[in-house]
Amino acid sequence: MTTTTEDATVTVLYCRDPLNERRVDAHFAAEARQLRAAGGRVLLVDHDALLAGDAERALARVPDGPGVVWYRGWMVPADRYGVLDAALRRRGGRLAVGAQEYRRAHELPGWYETFAGLTPASAWLPADTGRTPDPLRLTALAAGLPPGAAVVKDYVKSRKHEWDEACYVPDLGDAAALHRVVGRFVELQEEFLAGGVVLRAFEDFVAPLTREGTKAAAEVRVWWRDASPRLVTAHPDSPVAEVVTPDLAPVREAVEALGCPFVTTDLALRADGVWRVVEVGDGQVSDLRHGADLDAFVRILAAGQAPLRTPSASGTTPL
């Protein structure tokens, strides 16, 4: 079968600027410019309309027959992502990452069993927005984890910047403290609580040292396309850009078993010298650290398609 030019074009659906429906959101603008310069096609989606459940309005600027489309933007709840895919299919397109694949990589219950030997022990339970699970349920949940400290999050994110009040539980055996921290976490998440409450056994991580003996980023983000590592960056929150790349062989096996086309894994070095997976995510909604190689990034999306052309200002070569 002959592949048409349109079929071979890398098409990415970016979140639009909330104040200008014709522009890409400022957070992703440089990335979108790089994609265009490399011959890719940029389409726009209204993230606010999508979250409100109006996928047709969200895709008002997307033409019919868009083909295979990558989403690239702010996080989308898994159910809304499915609605987006269904709306694109009515227009003769589809998302490059299917709805079930997205949920599997995006939410901890979807990826945890596959990575269980590589990541801190975890337990979870569904929870409704604004409703803290009762103390007995939390105590029962904590009983399935090793004794000691734990971290609270939902199926997608933690509130690590409110570490003491809404993230860290010093002792899972302290039922009152556990309920207090979980309650504060649920309160702060408001309507953005994703799926439910997760407890993760706390592990002590340290910043690795470079060959020169300086501290590298304490957490690295590995970008995988079709189970192959394509880019390693410092975590977006890291003040340090330099990274030490861990042995990725065991992580590669888990990514391959997960079976999702575009995945990120965040790794940190435990105090005993073992690299651990602290988070898995769908690459479409994973943030890219400022200053990362945008040319290398947009080429991740082109894997398996016609090579993107190299922008004249870049010294890199096509995939």
Side-chain angles (χ1 to χ4, degrees), residues 157-306:
K157 291 183 70 68
S158 69
R159 298 195 69 91
K160 60 185 179 183
H161 298 298
E162 292 98 1
W163 182 254
D164 290 325
E165 63 172 317
C167 187
Y168 180 65
V169 180
D171 181 6
L172 284 172
D174 186 341
L178 174 61
H179 190 257
R180 182 178 65 252
V181 174
V182 171
R184 183 58 174 155
F185 172 78
V186 171
E187 178 186 7
L188 290 174
Q189 285 296 86
E190 299 180 324
E191 73 272 19
F192 299 108
L193 182 74
V197 170
V198 177
L199 300 181
R200 305 260 280 160
F202 175 78
E203 296 186 3
D204 189 19
F205 297 114
V206 297
L209 298 179
T210 66
R211 292 180 179 178
E212 293 73 29
T214 59
K215 286 187 177 181
E219 193 170 321
V220 299
R221 176 160 290 179
V222 185
W223 301 79
W224 304 79
R225 174 70 198 276
D226 299 328
S228 293
R230 298 302 183 99
L231 184 65
V232 179
T233 66
H235 188 276
D237 294 339
S238 172
V240 179
E242 191 167 7
V243 299
V244 172
T245 302
D247 175 15
L248 295 176
V251 185
R252 182 197 291 265
E253 291 182 10
V255 172
E256 185 173 15
L258 190 66
C260 299
F262 188 25
V263 173
T264 54
T265 54
D266 294 343
L267 287 87
L269 184 65
R270 201 165 58 190
D272 62 0
V274 177
W275 283 92
R276 302 284 277 166
V277 174
V278 294
E279 193 65 75
V280 176
D282 181 88
Q284 299 174 112
V285 295
S286 297
D287 200 9
L288 184 66
R289 190 180 190 278
H290 180 73
D293 186 339
L294 293 179
D295 183 56
F297 177 78
V298 300
R299 288 169 185 279
I300 297 173
L301 302 178
Q305 301 185 43

Side-chain angles (χ1 to χ4, degrees), residues 64-85:
D64 290 339
V68 178
V69 175
W70 295 94
Y71 172 76
R72 183 74 183 134
W74 304 114
M75 287 186 179
V76 179
D79 58 343
R80 291 288 189 259
Y81 186 90
V83 169
L84 175 64
D85 188 41

Side-chain angles (χ1 to χ4, degrees), residues 48-65:
D48 291 339
L50 180 60
L51 293 188
D54 191 345
E56 295 301 327
R57 180 162 64 91
L59 295 174
R61 298 191 62 82
V62 174
D64 290 339

Side-chain angles (χ1 to χ4, degrees), residues 77-79 81-83 85-86 89 95-107 109-111 258-261 263 282 284:
D79 58 343
Y81 186 90
V83 169
D85 188 41
R89 289 177 184 273
L95 287 166
V97 178
Q100 291 305 312
E101 294 170 324
Y102 176 81
R103 184 184 291 274
R104 195 156 66 244
H106 183 57
E107 297 182 345
W111 59 260
L258 190 66
C260 299
V263 173
D282 181 88
Q284 299 174 112

